[in-house]
Amino acid sequence: MPSVGQSLPHDSATGHVTGAARYIDDLPRLDRELCVDFVGSPVAAGRIRSLDLTAARQAPGVVCLLTYNDLGGPNHFGPIIPDEPFLAAEEVAYVGQPIVVIAAETAAAARKARELVVVDIEERKPILSIDEALHANSFIGPERHMVSPGAESDAAFEEAFRTAPHTLSGRFFSGGQEQFYFETQAAMSMRGESGDIRVISSTQNTTETQAVVAEALGLGMHQVVCECHRMGGGFGGKETQSAITAVMTALVAQKTGRPARLTLRRGDDMQITGKRHAYQTDYRVAFNSDGRLIAAQMAFYSNGGAFADLSTSVMERTMLHADNAYHVPMLRVTGQVCRTNLPPNTAFRGFGGPQGVALIESLLEDIAKVVGRDAFDVRRANLYRDGDDSRNVTHYGQIVRDHVMDETFDRLAASSSYRHRVAKVAEFNAASRTHVKGIAISSIKFGISFTTKFLNQANALVNVYTDGTVQVSTGGTEMGQGLYTKIQQIVADEFGLEPARVRVMATSSEKSNNTSPTAASAGADLNGMAAIDACRKITNRMRVYAAGLFASAERGLVAAPEHIVIDQGAVWDDRAPSHRLDFGQFCAMARRERVDIGARGFYATPGVDYNRETGRGNPFFYYTTGAAIAEVTIDRFTGELVFDRADLLMDIGRAINPGIDRGQVIGGFIQGVGWVTNEELRYNDAGHLLSTGPTTYKIPNITDTPRVFNVDFINNPKHQKNVRLSKAVGEPPLMLGVAVWLAAKNALQSLNGGEPVSLSIPATGEELLTRMTALVGQAVPDAAKVGCR
Amino acid sequence: MRNSLVFYVNGSRHEVRGEAAGLTLSDYLRGGCGSLQGDRLCGTKIACAEGDCGACTVLVGKPADDERSVVYQSIDACIAFVYQMDRRHVVTVEGLQDGDTLSPVQQAMIDCHGSQCGFCTPGFVMALQGLVEESEGDQPLEDETLRLGLSGNLCRCTGYSQILDAGKRLDPKRVASISKRYDTTAMLADFATLGDGPVRVNSRDTHLSNGHAPAAPPVDIFLPSTLDELLEHRAQHPDARLISGATDIGVQFNHGKVAPAALITTQTVRELNRLEVIDGQLVIGAATSWARIEAYTKNAIPAYHAILTRFGSPQVRHVGTLIGNLANASPIADSIPLHYVAQSTLELASIRGRREVPIEEFYLGYKQLDLQPDEVIVAVRTPLPKANVRLRLYKVSKRRDMDISTVTLAFWLEVEGDLCTAARIATGGVGPTVVRLPRAEESLVARPLTLEAMQTAGRIARDEIQPISDVRGGAEYRLQLVENLFAKCWHEVKGGEVFSGSK
């Protein structure tokens, strides 16, 4: 029986539940291993006047303190624009920016030394907000534009706004979000006998870690190996920023010759690493009296932090998702990343998509309010229509095809009793003086592929051994998403083996070179296809060899590779199925006959091409789609929100592992719920993050999940591409979390007369109460005072 | 006097003195149990070192009152200390399976896809095992029990749904108690031979290498077994830090903010482990854990019980104490407003004698107490509300569970017919200490308890407080909350509109 399609447990599940699965800090301590710590900038912006390391160097247990002067290579890196120093040299640009690396015999000694380093800084007033950056013209990269076909003419675009029955305009805010991977950034490094460096890193990106370490240390990439066995969560936060701990430990290993390890403390990790970008967006939208979109203009500004990191790419994805699942006949989008004195913001599951999706979903909620229709109907009317040339082209020119969005909406409405519940919510709101309810649907159409074309490639190494067992290595990293398990299933099926006979090896730059980060939801798509390519090279050779083995002049069987079957742990010729060779036995025979039963595979996603300059093309191989309906109850006195019910329906193709994919959908969704409800990053005026741990930064708790929670998948016979006809699942469900925020907005709208209600992301209790209080005389019956903020 | 700690880890006897005694339990377990050659029990994970995520959850068994069995409860190992483990049996995730056979809890987590990245998983496994240990009868765990019971464990990957599935799938009849897995009789016998006397250990600086190793462990640790020993030692060491459940000092210790040179535990003192009703007053001893109070108040003070389930987490409530919360004197201490409006009395003791202090007189300013250097809090006495008392307690926090209050508020309204005859209202999170709201109270007394009266009182209350803006919320938000909670209280007390939602 094929294993693809079965819900095998995660390949590390036993290690997870027994505690045997090792993360960086759990690895055995090596002889003479050093503990690494660092000194970060105490201020958000300034110039380093002097650095006094004397006292720290003399402290007991301290082995060395290193600065940018100790780097063997250039002191800058960055995946897109190399504008970020490894260690601050003269300028500091955010609180906690690493300046000095400390190595000591114990963690306690390193920590004490940290307090003994004296950094004298001439402090400057930092730029923290998007508004401050706009005022100071502080930007990263150029402003980008996307204009939908048909919206090129200024005159026609303005005419659309002038003649439209309705228009809305305003400014929309969404806050940042901490990845909050459970294993903080961590790495350990060892120096080899020829000065080479081996880094074991909790990273989504072994190749970039290898490259960055090589560059910082002044080594060739061939002198650095980066391995990742697993991560205790990544969520995008370890796509680029895992480099920080890797470089620090590698530098110590290089300078001292001793193994070095660093696992960031939670507070340091939250203070110094980048997060999801906060956005501020100016918009206007024109629509007709039944809520159909006519034209929209959106000017996205993101808070990029001090250095470029992936911010321009994140902004690109925002712009590419400004439409979400809805056809906007005339759409103009601009995007500008702002340079501020916060840590460089970076990838986080969704990668800019959530910020674009949230805006248009918010607009549709407002539009429904203005035209007096149910927001579900307004959304459904605006969906991209499969096969309808007038309603299936995005603002960047890609045709949205082979989807089942209409069916998804209709099935979800029925399965969740949406109409009935809308009526019940209205009844409740009419009766209750203490609480208000809201219900809403949101959708997702998420483009799958890296928008940077060259990243859409992968390679894999498959080694078959003479007992018929298999090792697979790809550049894909395991962060909990079950990639290894899916690869295991795919490869097992290629050889017709029990999955237990296939083992996915730790990701290493030694086995897979020039790999892309495990990101963009495409880990299984790319690496699964590369693994298949390798497997087929092997099985093709096996077939040729087996054809000769099974050929028989007496029985009239000529050698015919196309008749060879490799399945069920055996090899046979389908014309003589009773004569079977055990797969292991066959492999041993193949080796003796000098048949190569190992191969490297390669895959490049076909048909993806996008021109960044013109804003046109086909950036995506396909789309993963879905929708969610959420219902919430809000306490009118406190703003406390209770998430009552969620119904999710997604098209994820044919799941390679339904159990794992279900986990991805639920986990991603709840992470999205966290972003729109209680996850709030609070900074002080000096740019210090105040919410630096779970005590003050509140990710969803088990009691925050809905009591009624239905998750289902819709069959899509039109989807006929991608590995084993599956679809990527990692990021898309996160954006369905927006439904909860929309339900809160829907609840607030019901307290207001004919006007839409503004609401920011996250809709914390404070945000909700403030907005309700502002709806004079509505929020709290007879309340005399209006809150201000 | 015994000068070493004796406890068991996964059935193995550990005798500890010296530096290891002052470590956090998680550092001890992860660092090789006090020996460079020792097993590193790295299944106990550190993700926050604040007792907030539960990844470090272990079970701690302690002898039952009758000393005939061992009772296991979950705690956060990252904010517990080795010196709290004397005469205990610590069970980590490594100690759950039997040879190669996984425990039913572990198997259920695998079968239901309860793990993704796996980092929080050992904590969930242990918390689930703890729930089974605590559950009575052999019925499957209910959704609500699981949710509240697992609210001290965070997971960033799964969205919890498949973990709940695992919990529901468990058949408690098949989940063997830890006490059946290990020879607890032998442990109890061992503890009995150690005797009841006090323990004193000294610890020096640590040399363990670990990403979360402490800045400086304590030096002189005293575990009194009687109140007299405690008071005597306290008088001689007025600078020593009194340790109750250590759930707050553990956090500060990990942050490098405190490293006391000497400390004295209170939970080893049997006389302090009191919980009873005497003359209409609930008497809670200094060593009594929140978990015991939670169970006890279910009928005695339902309003208290209801809000208690939102204090800390199950792991924290298993070791944390009310007295620790009161003595820590945070303006956002969850428990203080109730004790203000109930007019609780603190019993203080020293070798000089005993005295009683009304709780409101106990707090002199921000973290300043009417407590002499040689004194300890022995107990708190709280009058139980009579039938004419409308007691409502509020905790508003960003997240419902496992969060620190933004604002707390307690209403004690005595009514006769429609009239409010007495009103005591206290609020926290709005200033350096918890405060009463005398003008708001006065506006209610001798008047009908109407919505309008409560709204007026709420507006008055706004003027009686000066909250600040901080990470948990803005000043204006806090003002609005305090004002609004008056109306909310009226709806719940008089309007009869108690809507709990589906939580």
Side-chain angles (χ1 to χ4, degrees), chain B residues 190-231:
Chain B
D190 185 15
F191 295 153
T193 55
L194 292 173
D196 270 350
V199 181
R200 190 163 181 182
V201 289
N202 289 296
S203 83
R204 287 173 284 105
D205 201 353
T206 178
H207 296 291
L208 290 176
S209 145
N210 183 296
H212 299 277
V219 176
D220 178 30
I221 302 160
F222 183 62
L223 283 60
S225 61
T226 66
L227 185 56
D228 285 345
E229 287 165 9
L230 168 63
L231 297 180

Side-chain angles (χ1 to χ4, degrees), chain A residues 213-273:
Chain A
V213 166
E215 184 167 28
L217 270 53
L219 300 174
M221 282 176 76
H222 66 309
Q223 290 169 296
V224 179
V225 172
C226 175
E227 289 170 27
C228 176
H229 298 237
R230 65 166 58 79
M231 283 163 271
F235 313 117
K238 295 172 181 171
E239 185 171 338
T240 60
Q241 307 216 342
S242 49
I244 298 171
T245 50
V247 168
M248 286 181 183
T249 57
L251 185 60
V252 169
Q254 185 188 40
K255 292 292 170 193
T256 63
R258 297 170 63 174
R261 177 161 25 188
L262 170 58
T263 298
L264 289 185
R265 280 184 286 272
R266 177 65 60 185
D268 286 342
D269 189 302
M270 290 190 69
Q271 187 71 252
I272 73 164
T273 65

Side-chain angles (χ1 to χ4, degrees), chain A residues 7-10 13-14 16-19 21 23 25-29 33 35 105-108 111-112 177-184 230-233 235 261 263-266 348-349 428 431-435 437 479-480 633 635-638 640 642-644 657 659-660 662-664 666-668 670-671 678-680 682 690-691 693-707 709 764-766 769 773 780-785 787-788, chain B residues 30-32 36 40 42-43 45-48 50 52-53 55 93-94 97 102 106 109-110 113 115-122 124-125 143-144 146-148 150-162 164 205-216 253-256 310 395-404 451-452 455 459 462-463 470-474 476-477 480-481 483-485 487-488 490-491 495 497 499-503:
Chain A
S7 292
L8 294 190
H10 192 283
T14 302
H16 293 160
V17 302
T18 59
Y23 303 80
D25 204 45
D26 306 335
L27 296 171
R29 271 193 293 277
E33 181 178 320
C35 294
E105 303 287 351
T106 68
R111 193 165 171 174
K112 273 180 196 152
Q177 185 181 22
E178 161 65 34
Q179 289 86 358
F180 212 93
Y181 27 69
F182 260 52
E183 181 192 27
T184 51
R230 65 166 58 79
M231 283 163 271
F235 313 117
R261 177 161 25 188
T263 298
L264 289 185
R265 280 184 286 272
R266 177 65 60 185
F348 187 168
R349 204 174 192 173
F428 176 93
S432 177
R433 289 187 293 167
T434 59
H435 293 77
K437 274 178 170 287
M479 61 195 102
T633 305
D635 186 312
R636 293 171 71 172
F637 303 104
T638 63
E640 290 166 301
V642 171
F643 181 11
D644 300 311
N657 186 317
I660 282 174
R662 187 180 166 80
Q664 287 297 298
I666 294 170
I670 294 298
Q671 236 171 42
N678 284 336
E679 291 186 39
E680 186 179 27
R682 287 217 180 205
L690 302 176
S691 41
T695 314
T696 45
Y697 185 78
K698 310 312 283 188
I699 68 169
N701 185 289
I702 195 167
T703 55
D704 300 322
T705 63
R707 290 302 195 274
F709 198 176
T764 58
E766 180 169 8
L769 186 65
T773 309
V780 178
D782 311 317
K785 289 193 180 178
C788 55
Chain B
R30 293 179 55 79
L36 285 174
R40 292 183 67 213
C42 290
K45 304 294 181 203
I46 304 301
C48 73
E50 295 183 338
D52 225 286
C53 77
V93 72
E94 289 90 348
Q97 71 193 87
L102 299 182
Q106 291 170 318
M109 283 288 278
I110 292 176
H113 292 272
S115 72
Q116 286 184 26
C117 87
F119 206 87
C120 74
T121 313
F124 272 98
V125 166
D143 187 67
E144 195 63 21
L146 284 164
R147 284 172 190 263
L148 290 178
L150 298 176
S151 62
N153 294 76
L154 294 175
C155 172
R156 189 52 153 171
C157 296
T158 64
Y160 304 103
S161 199
Q162 287 157 308
L164 281 171
D205 201 353
T206 178
H207 296 291
L208 290 176
S209 145
N210 183 296
H212 299 277
F253 182 80
N254 288 337
H255 286 182
R310 291 182 54 199
K395 166 177 178 164
V396 181
S397 50
K398 184 169 277 179
R399 190 174 66 197
R400 184 190 176 277
D401 286 289
M402 197 58 220
D403 199 357
I404 291 168
L451 176 60
E452 292 68 29
Q455 285 170 335
R459 285 192 290 274
R462 276 182 84 109
D463 297 331
D470 67 10
V471 66
R472 295 192 178 83
E476 176 58 33
Y477 172 51
Q480 195 66 49
L481 279 175
E483 177 183 339
N484 288 2
L485 285 171
K488 182 175 172 68
W490 183 87
H491 280 285
E497 220 175 320
F499 178 84
S500 62
S502 46
K503 290 218 190 77

Side-chain angles (χ1 to χ4, degrees), chain A residues 95-111:
Chain A
V95 172
Q97 184 184 358
I99 303 171
V100 182
V101 177
I102 301 168
E105 303 287 351
T106 68
R111 193 165 171 174

Side-chain angles (χ1 to χ4, degrees), chain B residues 4 21-22 79-80 91 105 117 147 164 189 194 266 269 308 406 419 492:
Chain B
S4 64
I79 52 168
V91 180
V105 171
C117 87
R147 284 172 190 263
L164 281 171
L194 292 173
T266 58
V269 178
L308 234 169
T406 306
L419 279 191
E492 293 182 358

Side-chain angles (χ1 to χ4, degrees), chain B residues 212-284:
Chain B
H212 299 277
V219 176
D220 178 30
I221 302 160
F222 183 62
L223 283 60
S225 61
T226 66
L227 185 56
D228 285 345
E229 287 165 9
L230 168 63
L231 297 180
E232 195 67 39
H233 195 83
R234 182 67 177 154
Q236 289 162 15
H237 301 275
D239 293 333
R241 184 78 178 242
L242 283 173
I243 301 290
S244 187
T247 55
D248 189 67
I249 198 171
V251 178
Q252 296 182 50
F253 182 80
N254 288 337
H255 286 182
K257 287 181 182 161
V258 293
L263 37 90
I264 308 170
T265 66
T266 58
Q267 284 188 318
T268 46
V269 178
R270 294 200 171 201
E271 296 109 298
L272 297 182
N273 200 8
R274 286 177 71 193
L275 184 59
E276 57 195 321
V277 173
I278 300 174
D279 300 335
Q281 292 197 320
L282 179 64
V283 182
I284 300 175

